[in-house]
Amino acid sequence: KARRIASFNSAIQILRFVSQYTRLYNRKDLGQYLALFSDNATENNIPITTLRSDYKKLFAKTGTIRLEIKNIKWRDTRNGFLVYGDFIGNYIYNDGHTFRQSGSITFSLLQERKHLKIASLTYVFKSHDRSGKITEDGSSNIKKQRGRFPHRH
């Protein structure tokens, strides 16, 4: 019974964290968003400290961001959790153009002073060609791409 309670508490903590992550990103709250990362965190193997200006530019040029993370699964690690999910990002820029991207996302979360922090964030995009057609052999033209987050297109 104690193990089930601990698992339940972990699930609540993880879901709250992911909710906070998306809420701060969608609100474009740069300071609070970056505070979710540990000091040595990486985003697709790039130190998060070097990406501050990228996020600042993104948040300045977008009117609306709607990032959703769904199908969340997780497992315990020695110092925290490994959290997996699927993301959909919809961006409406100040000039009126829109952009949509989706893919998979993985958070490596560490417990720091009773709070979860992102140690690493990794995502892989699903990329569609412009036609959105199915290829002649019946396979879809969706391919996976590892890269920078949707705001860096």
Side-chain angles (χ1 to χ4, degrees):
K1 185 175 179 179
R3 188 174 181 170
R4 276 190 287 172
I5 291 171
S7 180
F8 181 74
N9 288 338
S10 294
I12 290 172
Q13 186 180 21
I14 290 165
L15 292 174
R16 282 184 180 159
F17 183 87
V18 172
S19 176
Q20 180 182 27
Y21 174 89
T22 57
R23 185 176 61 254
L24 293 172
Y25 186 84
N26 290 339
R27 283 193 344 215
K28 303 180 288 181
D29 188 334
L30 183 61
Q32 291 297 310
Y33 174 75
L34 292 176
L36 297 175
F37 293 82
S38 68
D39 292 342
N40 298 316
T42 60
E43 180 180 306
N44 280 0
N45 297 315
I46 299 169
I48 194 70
T49 54
T50 66
L51 299 175
R52 182 179 189 82
S53 65
D54 289 347
Y55 279 109
K56 189 173 183 178
K57 289 174 193 171
L58 166 70
F59 292 167
K61 69 181 181 179
T62 51
T64 304
I65 299 173
R66 291 287 177 252
L67 177 67
E68 295 178 55
I69 300 175
K70 299 180 177 188
N71 305 319
I72 298 168
K73 297 177 181 120
W74 60 275
R75 67 176 173 85
D76 290 317
T77 62
R78 187 186 309 164
N79 300 325
F81 306 99
L82 200 56
V83 180
Y84 311 88
D86 299 314
F87 73 86
I88 299 170
N90 291 292
Y91 298 78
I92 301 173
Y93 290 88
N94 296 332
D95 66 6
H97 84 273
T98 62
F99 183 72
R100 177 183 168 97
Q101 189 66 281
S102 62
S104 61
I105 190 165
T106 303
F107 298 87
S108 176
L109 301 177
L110 298 176
Q111 196 78 40
E112 287 186 5
R113 296 183 213 114
K114 297 186 181 184
H115 296 284
L116 291 176
K117 293 281 189 168
I118 300 169
S120 68
L121 174 63
T122 307
Y123 38 82
V124 179
F125 302 119
K126 290 181 189 173
S127 178
H128 304 265
D129 76 5
R130 291 182 187 188
S131 70
K133 295 179 183 175
I134 302 297
T135 61
E136 285 184 18
D137 65 1
S139 64
S140 86
N141 53 14
I142 297 173
K143 63 180 179 177
K144 289 189 174 183
Q145 277 182 324
R146 194 186 238 359
R148 312 247 342 221
F149 210 68
H151 57 272
R152 298 181 185 102
H153 68 278

